[in-house]
Structure formats: structure tokens, C-alpha cells
């Protein structure tokens, strides 16, 4: 079964496995707490301006994995996303768009 777009789910291949990612409220809260300063609006603005940091990208994808029920090990280097670095940036942007887009 594929991702449910009405629930803001996004599918991606992470570490060689198909995964469904979702930015739940809890995942967003944890993501926000990891930011310096803790500000989701600033994070979104960096993505909109095309200037997210690698930390932003890893944080968004990790939060999406957690919201989808997969937690990364604390010492993990970050998820290996199909498409490499460019794929990771696209996935993070897609997750934010899905989470904050108007519902259909």
C-alpha cells in the first residue's frame, strides 16, 4: 500500500528499503526542539528560499521517519536516501510541503 497523501505521507527509499514518512505533530515538535533557534517557520523559510542546511535536511527526514514509525540510531550518520544528496533535499522539501499544504 502506498502513501496516503491526505495524511501527508510521503514514500521514499531509505537505506535501501521503501519507507513511508510523515511529519506528525510529535515529530515536528522534536524537530523544532533540535533547531537552533527552535523555529519551524525559519526552517520553512530556508527551504522556500532554496537555502536549507544539511542539518535541516537530515532533521526533516529523520523526523519524517520517526513519524512513520522508524527511529534512527542516535549515532547514525543520517539516512541514505535514494538519489543521494539531491534526493535527500527533494525528499525533505516534499515532506514539509505535504505537512503544511492545505488538505484536499
Amino acid at each position: 500500500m502506498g502513501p496516503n497523501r491526505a495524511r501527508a505521507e510521503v514514500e521514499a527509499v531509505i537505506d535501501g528499503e521503501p519507507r513511508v514518512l510523515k511529519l506528525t505533530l510529535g515529530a515536528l515538535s522534536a524537530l523544532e526542539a533540535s533547531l537552533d533557534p527552535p523555529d519551524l517557520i525559519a526552517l520553512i523559510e530556508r527551504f522556500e528560499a532554496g537555502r536549507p542546511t544539511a542539518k535541516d535536511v537530515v532533521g526533516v527526514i529523520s523526523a519524517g521517519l520517526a513519524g512513520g514509525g522508524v527511529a534512527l540510531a542516535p549515532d547514525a550518520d543520517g539516512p541514505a536516501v535514494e538519489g543521494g544528496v539531491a534526493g535527500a533535499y527533494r525528499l525533505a522539501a516534499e515532506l514539509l510541503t505535504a505537512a503544511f499544504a492545505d488538505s484536499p
Side-chain angles (χ1 to χ4, degrees):
M1 179 180 269
N4 182 341
R5 294 305 267 179
R7 294 184 53 177
E9 294 175 346
V10 173
E11 188 172 43
V13 176
I14 307 287
D15 296 328
E17 299 288 328
R19 303 278 186 201
V20 174
L21 296 82
K22 179 179 178 180
L23 291 176
T24 62
L25 189 55
L28 285 168
S29 176
L31 171 61
E32 184 173 47
S34 75
L35 298 173
D36 186 29
D39 185 350
L40 281 177
I41 300 303
L43 171 76
I44 292 166
E45 288 172 346
R46 287 193 296 277
F47 272 89
E48 287 176 339
R51 299 180 52 91
T53 66
K55 180 181 175 184
D56 292 339
V57 171
V58 170
V60 170
I61 293 171
S62 296
L65 283 166
V70 176
L72 293 177
D75 62 346
D77 289 332
V81 176
E82 186 175 72
V85 173
Y89 275 77
R90 283 190 300 272
L91 175 57
E94 185 178 1
L95 278 163
L96 288 170
T97 299
F100 289 98
D102 291 332
S103 299

